[in-house]
Amino acid sequence: MSPQDRYPVARPCLSDLEERYLVDAYRSGWISSQGPYLQRFEEQFAARCGAATAVATGNGTVALHLALAAAGIGPGDEVIVPALTYVATANAVVYCGARPVFVDVSPESWCIDVDQVASAVGPRTRAVIAVDLYGHPADYSALRALCERHGLLLVSDAAESFGALLDGRPTGDLADVTTFSFFGNKVITAGEGGCVTTSDPALAERMRLLRNQGMDPRRRYYFPVVGFNYRLTNLASALLCAQLERADDIISRREAVIATYERELTEPPLLTSQPVVAGVRRAPWMASFLVGPPGSTGQRDELARSLDLLGVETRPFFVPLTDLPPYADAAGELPVTADLSRRGINLPTYADLTDVDLKVIVDRVRTALAGVTGRR
């Protein structure tokens, strides 16, 4: 197989099985928010995550909002979130009328710093959202103990960590409630889609009520509360059922892709691979590296530009949320977040990359690195 001229940073892994299930759902006439694939997906996903219940949603952002809204988070409340994450984590808090309180992440895991969470808890704090950044689970044991001590809801934003394990337990039942995304670049995907898992039956019932415009499940077209249209379609669920059946193979190949990069390219301080804490099996979402030594600036962006010219698409780490206009008034000292954001880069990570493709990408990264370091 010949190498490609250009490699995207992400691509879904689809097969004949996805097509077969999708066509079956289409031909059944169940193309909207009811149907056998939806029920099947929720049951199988909950089992895979070790949770009692899964509530499928239209995407990962509304999954977060649904979880918070069902828990009663509202105006006057504060929710602690990491400053290094996708913007949806904070936006979901604002949708509820609450205020996100930003804390730094840990250099050992790149996930929310538990000590900083403890310092940020105040009289208005109602919840903590831990983000499994780049597929690495947060320290849920410590976070759960802290949240139980203060009577706080612990939410896991596992949009990036499907397939991860913490001390042998899958993400999905490590917090009070866990949210997932099935966007096109995720480990399993329906193009869009999301899900919430929980083992709290009352919370699950409330989420199902709110997901369906607040309609009473025992009385059609009677709406006791204001809800949302956050439903997932049977068509998307058909894709996800197929993806779940193939998940182990997809995860295995993506792990092999990341392992190849880390074996061939990790060379501190030029490239430093993602740290993995003992007891963690991270999800192979994105191959994540830091460019240059701590505190350096500019090298990541120069490497990305060089790789783009060589036909390798990359993506930078997230911009600190406190650097974004909607959240600039919350700015504080967040040195780890700032450093990771400046130096972090993601390389192409998807299951359809062949060994030939990987050799080409590795060679192009080495060429680009040589150009960057040769000008210094």
Side-chain angles (χ1 to χ4, degrees):
M1 183 177 293
S2 59
Q4 302 174 30
D5 291 333
R6 187 163 190 83
Y7 291 95
V9 74
R11 176 181 290 169
C13 179
L14 303 173
S15 72
D16 292 343
L17 185 64
E18 283 82 357
E19 182 179 13
R20 179 154 55 89
Y21 285 2
L22 186 60
V23 170
D24 182 57
Y26 166 77
R27 289 176 175 168
S28 75
W30 292 101
I31 65 170
S32 192
S33 55
Q34 295 186 50
Y37 281 107
L38 175 61
Q39 181 179 353
R40 176 175 161 187
F41 169 70
E42 289 184 331
E43 291 173 353
Q44 293 180 347
F45 193 77
R48 172 97 190 199
C49 293
T53 306
V55 180
T57 63
N59 58 60
T61 304
V62 302
L64 274 168
H65 181 214
L66 183 66
L68 294 172
I73 304 299
D77 295 335
E78 293 181 347
V79 178
I80 299 172
V81 301
L84 188 61
T85 179
Y86 185 56
V87 70
T89 310
N91 286 352
V93 176
V94 175
Y95 297 162
C96 293
R99 186 175 81 91
V101 175
F102 299 105
V103 298
D104 211 347
V105 296
S106 164
E108 285 77 29
S109 66
W110 301 352
C111 296
I112 195 166
D113 188 309
V114 179
D115 290 338
Q116 292 216 9
V117 173
S119 299
V121 173
R124 294 190 173 185
T125 307
R126 288 284 311 283
V128 176
I129 302 179
V131 178
D132 298 342
L133 196 69
Y134 299 112
H136 191 295
D139 186 350
Y140 287 103
S141 177
L143 287 168
R144 185 178 285 279
L146 188 153
C147 287
E148 288 177 352
R149 189 162 62 249
H150 292 281
L152 307 177
L153 178 76
L154 177 57
V155 180
S156 169
D157 180 345
E160 302 163 11
S161 68
F162 172 76
L165 298 173
L166 177 60
D167 296 326
R169 294 179 59 195
T171 51
D173 197 36
L174 299 173
D176 296 316
V177 61
T178 304
T179 66
F180 293 88
S181 168
F182 306 121
F183 183 64
N185 64 14
K186 296 301 190 291
V187 176
I188 64 170
T189 181
E192 280 285 6
C195 198
V196 189
T197 58
T198 185
S199 292
D200 182 334
L203 188 60
E205 182 179 7
R206 181 72 175 174
M207 286 191 291
R208 291 191 184 280
L209 174 69
L210 293 176
R211 176 183 65 172
N212 192 31
Q213 297 282 22
M215 186 167 69
D216 190 328
R218 292 168 293 277
R219 184 180 176 185
R220 294 185 68 191
Y221 304 114
Y222 181 76
F223 301 88
V225 298
V226 175
F228 318 101
N229 181 359
Y230 282 176
R231 299 168 298 210
L232 185 70
T233 67
N234 194 54
L235 290 176
S237 300
L239 286 172
L240 288 169
C241 285
Q243 289 271 285
L244 268 183
E245 288 186 32
R246 301 177 53 238
D248 289 338
D249 290 339
I250 293 172
I251 288 170
S252 177
R253 181 56 192 169
R254 293 174 74 110
E255 286 178 332
V257 167
I258 294 176
T260 297
Y261 288 146
E262 292 185 340
R263 182 179 65 251
E264 299 294 332
L265 293 173
T266 300
E267 189 181 339
L270 295 180
L271 280 185
T272 305
S273 61
Q274 179 182 16
V276 179
V277 174
V280 164
R281 175 187 172 182
R282 68 185 163 179
W285 180 49
M286 287 274 179
S288 302
F289 291 85
L290 300 179
V291 184
S296 62
T297 60
Q299 288 178 288
R300 189 272 311 278
D301 294 339
E302 189 174 349
L303 176 63
R305 286 192 294 268
S306 297
L307 283 173
D308 185 61
L309 293 175
L310 293 171
V312 177
E313 183 186 13
T314 63
R315 52 179 275 172
F317 277 21
F318 299 119
V319 174
L321 295 187
T322 51
D323 285 357
L324 303 178
Y327 302 113
D329 61 347
E333 291 298 318
L334 303 163
V336 180
T337 291
D339 184 56
L340 295 178
S341 179
R342 283 193 298 263
R343 295 195 292 137
I345 194 169
N346 301 126
L347 298 180
T349 311
Y350 48 95
D352 290 338
L353 284 170
T354 67
D355 290 344
V356 171
D357 294 328
L358 289 174
K359 184 179 185 309
V360 172
I361 294 171
V362 165
D363 287 344
R364 292 178 183 178
V365 172
R366 287 172 175 164
T367 298
L369 278 172
V372 170
T373 57
R375 288 191 288 272
R376 302 206 173 259

